Amino acid sequence: MATTIRPAIPGDVPQILGFIRALAAYEREPDAVTATEAGLLRDGFGSTPFYFCLIAEQDGSPVGFALYFYNYSTWMGRPGLYLEDLFVPPEFRGLGIGKALLKRVAAIAVEKGCPRLQWEVLDWNTPAIDFYSAMGAEFLDAWRNVRVSGEALLRLAGAAAESVSEELVSSDKDRQTGAAQ
């Protein structure tokens, strides 16, 4: 069976969400997915997409996906690609589908002038770690992933928003006072 890799289209959104849910179950977080078809459609297929997606097919049936987006390296002064998800259901593993998806994402990075492609892998996922090692991936063990979400994000944004709001009000008052003199 030949594997084909193609860009996702809006009609793929239900399948993309299915792959996301299957990946979450594989990663032992089946209830963590809050994504919706409407959100995926809005964020990936609007005039300014926040992500891009590839679908792997065999005989016209979807057998995997890769979802990626652009990031930016200030040190390199160049864009890069961040691979958010790469997933092939267990029944299709070992057929070269994951490798084909990863190679296509890497080719897109090269085509777009991105000097690097990066992603994360769970420390217990030894099959993926071994796979990525075989592909030449470098593991950045000295770096820690950092995330702020939920209530912590709202608190952080609230403090920043209040600060910005106070600065704007103060700046506006200074301008008004200066204009009156």
Side-chain angles (χ1 to χ4, degrees):
M1 286 187 264
T3 300
T4 58
I5 308 293
R6 63 170 178 80
I9 59 172
D12 292 317
V13 165
Q15 181 63 64
I16 293 168
L17 185 56
F19 282 141
I20 291 168
R21 288 181 175 144
L23 174 59
Y26 177 77
E27 292 183 343
R28 306 173 187 164
E29 293 283 345
D31 299 323
V33 176
T34 59
T36 64
E37 288 182 17
L40 290 171
L41 186 61
R42 175 194 65 230
D43 295 340
F45 300 94
S47 60
T48 308
F50 289 101
Y51 73 86
F52 302 90
C53 188
L54 299 173
I55 301 291
E57 293 180 328
Q58 284 196 338
D59 297 326
S61 296
V63 293
F65 88 124
L67 191 144
Y68 64 94
F69 53 88
Y70 291 90
N71 59 14
Y72 195 83
S73 169
T74 56
W75 289 7
M76 298 175 92
R78 303 292 303 275
L81 284 188
Y82 185 86
L83 179 61
E84 177 68 19
D85 287 334
L86 173 67
F87 181 72
V88 175
E91 63 270 25
F92 296 107
R93 292 186 187 154
L95 302 174
I97 298 165
K99 183 176 182 178
L101 282 163
L102 188 58
K103 287 180 76 165
R104 183 62 194 127
V105 174
I108 292 168
V110 171
E111 290 164 13
K112 299 294 184 180
C114 302
R116 70 180 177 200
L117 166 63
Q118 63 189 80
W119 64 93
E120 298 173 7
V121 61
L122 290 166
D123 61 358
W124 57 260
N125 192 347
T126 53
I129 291 168
D130 293 345
F131 170 72
Y132 297 141
S133 292
M135 298 295 107
E138 171 188 6
F139 293 85
L140 307 174
D141 294 331
W143 289 82
R144 301 281 310 264
N145 290 316
V146 180
R147 177 184 301 162
V148 179
S149 60
E151 289 297 319
L153 177 61
L154 294 175
R155 282 192 307 276
L156 181 59
E162 288 173 18
S163 175
V164 169
S165 178
E166 289 171 12
E167 288 176 24
L168 291 174
V169 169
S170 175
S171 174
D172 190 41
K173 285 181 183 176
D174 290 345
R175 271 187 303 230
Q176 290 173 357
T177 304
Q181 294 176 351

